[in-house]
Amino acid sequence: MLTDREVLSTINMLRAEHLDVRTVTMGINLFDCASTDFDVFAYKVRSKILRYAEKLVETCDAVGDRYGIPVVNKRIAVSPIGTVGASFTRDQMVAACRVLDECAKAVRVDFIGGFGALVEKGMTPGERNLIDALPEALAQTDRICSSINVGSTKAGINMDAVRLMGERILDVAEATRERDAIGCAKLVVFCNIPQDVPFMAGAYLGIGEPDVVIDVGVSGPGVVKKALERAFAAKGDYLTVTDAAEVIKHTAYKVTRVGEIIGGEVADRLGLPFGVADLSLAPTPAVGDSVGEIFQTMGLSSIGAPGTTAILAMLNDQVKKGGVFASSHVGGLSGAFIPVSEDSAIEAAARTGALTLEKLEAMTSVCSVGLDMIAIPGDTPASTISGLIADEAAIGMINGKTTAVRVIPVPGKGVGDKAVFGGLLGEASIIRVPGGDASGFVKLGGRIPAPIHSLRN
């Protein structure tokens, strides 16, 4: 472990490279707020969120100022509302979403996650009502994120839920048509969703988590890129992939250590337990804060060129190795994100055709999440979207890893047009979706059985 002096030295170095802590997320359990009386539920939710999160933003800012490492996003994750509000009607689910949005604004957090459902093996009436409420709920709110888990290695894939989500994604897109379907940017469909993700849009507080907990999401793709550039400048042609892997691992160690220190101090000041450090390399649209630029530093013309999947596998693995040594509380997704609209280099590669949807799917097998923040034509059929979800879920189910789909069908726009979401969500050129018709398969419904290696008891 780093000594106190080494920690301060590392912080000073990383501060000079514009490291930030991407998010501090407060998880809040809402199961003790459950009630068949909606007014009672709303009162309890407001009271609990405001009581615990009232000082979250100012505490994050104070800790960030102390170390000179800003906490960019302050967020809340709550218990899955599909379970907490099991007795709610569709309209009550919309109202619950508004209550959460009001709470998020009151405590000044950027997003609140957990308006979602876990339906990998079946669907309760309350969960169905939540999914049906998504278009209206996400159109009427500003800071709500939703995640729907449709598969797992243990349960298989719920194809009825997959079909339904293909339809609802189109409905959410239409409901937020005037804003380039931004509602879909806050909706993600998972397989094997972790219970402690601090990053949006997948964040929610799982069943086995504490009543209230602080999780931190570290990032640092720009720091990794600069470390690699220094190594190449020092060794030139003598630097090998093995050397680059070591650089990434050591950099991930330092970044994670700093992130855990900041997250731990936020938790201490609020009198709450510290949960996990999510090691994910999460980019932003800013130049120099890109996962995609790391591929260019490693010698590719751009992300998407032959060799991309190999580099991503190495990058993901070394981030995990360095981070696990730095923290005894690693969780969440912990890897490399490839959100197209949120990364300037990835977006540029997708716009020029160097990076295709098929290649992005292949990369899912070795990285965190999956098809993420991808703008597609607004006239894409629901069955095609469901097919994409099923393919990603299958990769996650068979490989025992997390995969997800966050695609944005932009109404009225086609391939080559641009969708603009703003802020961390960035912008994206609409890319081609593979041809073919999946409607017959999607219409079958039922459940894809869990793989044989799920039987580990």
Side-chain angles (χ1 to χ4, degrees), residues 16 70 107 110 113 131 146 150 159 179-180 197 202 218 264 298 306 333 351 365 376 404 416 419 434 436 446:
V107 298
D110 303 286
I131 291 172
S146 177
V150 299
M159 289 301 297
R179 292 176 287 165
D180 279 349
V197 182
V218 299
M298 288 292 297
L333 292 162
R351 180 174 7 102
S365 62
I376 60 176

Side-chain angles (χ1 to χ4, degrees), residues 122-147:
M123 199 180 312
T124 66
E127 289 165 337
R128 174 62 189 255
N129 288 337
L130 181 142
I131 291 172
D132 287 343
L134 285 171
E136 185 176 352
L138 294 178
Q140 291 186 4
T141 56
D142 299 312
R143 306 189 188 192
I144 299 298
C145 287
S146 177
S147 54

Side-chain angles (χ1 to χ4, degrees), residues 309-453:
T309 305
I311 291 175
L312 184 58
M314 183 267 288
L315 176 64
N316 214 43
D317 184 58
Q318 296 305 309
V319 166
K320 292 178 191 291
K321 286 174 178 172
V324 166
F325 187 62
S327 171
S328 57
H329 301 286
V330 172
L333 292 162
S334 293
F337 289 174
I338 46 173
V340 175
S341 78
E342 297 176 11
D343 186 305
S344 58
I346 298 178
E347 195 281 326
R351 180 174 7 102
T352 61
L355 182 62
T356 64
L357 201 58
E358 293 91 337
K359 184 63 174 178
L360 285 162
E361 182 181 310
M363 293 162 65
T364 298
S365 62
V366 297
C367 81
S368 297
V369 194
L371 300 179
D372 196 16
M373 287 300 292
I374 300 171
I376 60 176
D379 60 359
T380 303
S383 60
T384 297
I385 297 173
S386 294
L388 294 174
I389 294 170
D391 285 343
E392 284 293 311
I395 292 172
M397 176 186 70
I398 294 296
N399 292 289
K401 69 184 296 293
T402 301
T403 52
V405 173
R406 185 164 49 149
V407 294
I408 306 163
V410 185
K413 292 189 176 181
V415 174
D417 293 335
K418 180 168 285 190
V420 180
F421 311 115
L424 283 175
L425 299 176
E427 60 183 42
S429 294
I430 295 167
I431 64 174
R432 180 189 64 83
V433 174
D437 182 6
S439 59
F441 166 62
V442 171
K443 192 163 44 177
L444 292 174
R447 185 153 53 95
I448 295 178
I452 188 65
H453 56 258

Side-chain angles (χ1 to χ4, degrees), residues 206-226:
I207 306 298
E209 296 292 308
D211 189 50
V212 185
V213 65
I214 294 293
D215 295 320
V216 63
V218 299
S219 186
V223 178
V224 171
K225 175 178 177 287
K226 288 176 182 176

Side-chain angles (χ1 to χ4, degrees), residues 4 33 206 264 287 371 449:
D4 289 346
C33 301
V287 175
L371 300 179

